[in-house]
Amino acid sequence: MLLTFLGTSSGTPTLARNVTAIALQLPQRSSLWLFDCGEGTQHQVLRTPLRLSQLEKIFFTHLHGDHLFGTVGLLASRALGGAGTTPVTLYGPPGLQEYVKATLRYSDTHINYPIHFQTVEPGLIASSDGFTVLANSLKHRIPAFGYSVIEDDQPGHFDAERAAALGVPFGPLYGQLKSGQSITLADGRVIDGRTLVGPARRGRKLTYCSDTIYTRQAVELALNADVLVHEATFLTSELNLAERALHSTAAMAAQVASEARVGQLILTHFSPRYENCPAAIRAEAEAIFPNVLLAEDFWRFEIQAKAASI
């Protein structure tokens, strides 16, 4: 599970940071998911190894422009030059479908692939090839949602060398053993597949929360996540601005991470006013939660597979 941060600024872009978009590449699949799509996201994609032809889903936290305005341009570019013809599904609050369809209509833009829309509500919103996506309401000035991507638990390692040493002929019997079944060999020996498969590995969990002030619903969504990506628009020194705009401070994001017992906190969505003081943001968060990283545009972060559980 590989994250690429395409935009890490809040509200407006800066010379160093574009507005919000995050890409997620899934293991052993040629698929790309986006979380939010601020203006200029397609330009950011051009500066990465990402391919729009592999785009499958876009999840929108809310419909403010710095999370939305890049959508139609990106979808239109994907339609040109054979960049992609497979369907794309857009997930978001009510109004997303009307906005995209109206913009396509009034700009006379024609898309040569299906675009599907799903209005998000708290709970299960997608299940796709070994991954589940959950949503929960956040607390912002307009309807907003956070998302958790949860990988299915993975089977333990199958000891093929030991199976061969036991005289199991390569072929369909290996599949039965991998699934934990017992087989009977031609000489009458019974081989229990469970003795050839190691402990299962719990699936990984990624949670993304932006935009929101502190809320218990973010904690519930992020519970035991391997990685929490959370907005940190303000420092506590400007708490009045955070409360007025219903955005988080770095301390609030760290509080969510601590209460949810996550493994790693990644902060993003920084106000342009803090362009030259990332150390202050990190210090405020680390006073509450120790494992803090600050996202930058084009930074890539891999969510490592967990060790086998017993």
Side-chain angles (χ1 to χ4, degrees):
M1 298 176 69
L2 182 61
L3 293 171
T4 301
F5 288 82
L6 299 170
T8 56
S9 179
S10 70
T12 61
T14 71
L15 290 176
R17 300 179 185 274
N18 198 47
V19 284
T20 299
I22 303 173
L24 172 64
Q25 294 169 279
L26 301 175
Q28 300 178 348
R29 293 172 53 181
S30 296
S31 61
L32 174 66
W33 295 0
L34 287 181
F35 292 85
D36 289 324
C37 190
E39 182 181 359
T41 295
Q42 63 171 313
H43 295 274
Q44 301 291 87
V45 169
L46 291 173
R47 299 172 63 185
T48 72
L50 302 173
R51 298 169 57 187
L52 289 182
S53 61
Q54 297 177 345
L55 180 64
E56 289 183 350
K57 304 177 187 294
I58 307 179
F59 300 90
F60 295 90
T61 55
H62 64 299
L63 301 187
H64 277 155
D66 59 327
H67 295 249
L68 177 69
F69 284 163
T71 306
V72 172
L74 182 143
L75 294 175
S77 292
R78 187 179 186 269
L80 297 173
T85 57
T86 53
V88 175
T89 303
L90 309 185
Y91 301 82
L96 175 63
Q97 179 172 349
E98 290 81 355
Y99 167 80
V100 172
K101 286 192 170 182
T103 307
L104 291 172
R105 181 170 70 253
Y106 289 120
S107 63
D108 194 29
T109 300
H110 302 280
I111 303 298
N112 63 345
Y113 54 86
I115 300 177
H116 305 299
F117 296 89
Q118 182 170 328
T119 299
V120 172
E121 296 180 352
L124 174 67
I125 62 168
S127 183
S128 173
D129 297 331
F131 288 87
T132 298
V133 183
L134 304 178
N136 205 0
S137 297
L138 300 178
K139 188 175 181 180
H140 195 43
R141 302 193 306 277
I142 62 175
F145 294 90
Y147 297 98
S148 279
V149 180
I150 304 171
E151 181 185 33
D152 291 352
D153 291 345
Q154 303 297 299
H157 172 72
F158 174 66
D159 194 339
E161 291 185 1
R162 187 176 167 208
L166 290 171
V168 180
F170 183 79
L173 292 179
Y174 274 49
Q176 296 177 39
L177 292 171
K178 284 182 181 180
S179 64
Q181 300 178 43
S182 294
I183 64 168
T184 302
L185 300 179
D187 59 10
R189 286 182 296 142
V190 176
I191 307 296
D192 185 348
R194 292 172 297 178
T195 66
L196 298 174
V197 179
R201 173 176 67 80
R202 290 188 61 82
R204 290 162 283 187
K205 179 177 178 180
L206 162 70
T207 300
Y208 171 52
C209 294
S210 184
D211 294 11
T212 182
I213 200 166
Y214 171 84
T215 171
R216 283 293 305 175
Q217 288 167 295
V219 176
E220 294 166 3
L221 182 66
L223 193 63
N224 296 320
D226 297 277
V227 174
L228 167 63
V229 179
H230 198 290
E231 72 126 303
T233 307
F234 294 105
L235 292 171
T236 300
S237 59
E238 295 183 292
L239 179 60
N240 61 319
L241 295 180
E243 292 177 338
R244 186 172 66 193
L246 295 183
H247 277 297
S248 287
T249 63
M252 289 177 187
Q255 183 180 354
V256 172
S258 178
E259 294 179 6
R261 301 187 297 277
V262 308
Q264 179 70 62
L265 171 63
I266 300 177
L267 300 179
T268 188
H269 199 269
F270 309 114
S271 168
R273 72 186 64 219
Y274 304 123
E275 186 74 18
N276 298 316
C277 51
I281 299 172
R282 181 191 294 271
E284 178 170 300
E286 286 181 337
I288 298 171
F289 183 80
N291 302 324
V292 179
L293 294 171
L294 272 59
E296 298 180 358
D297 284 23
F298 308 112
W299 178 54
R300 310 187 87 191
F301 180 88
E302 183 174 2
I303 305 173
Q304 299 287 343
K306 294 182 178 179
S309 57
I310 299 175

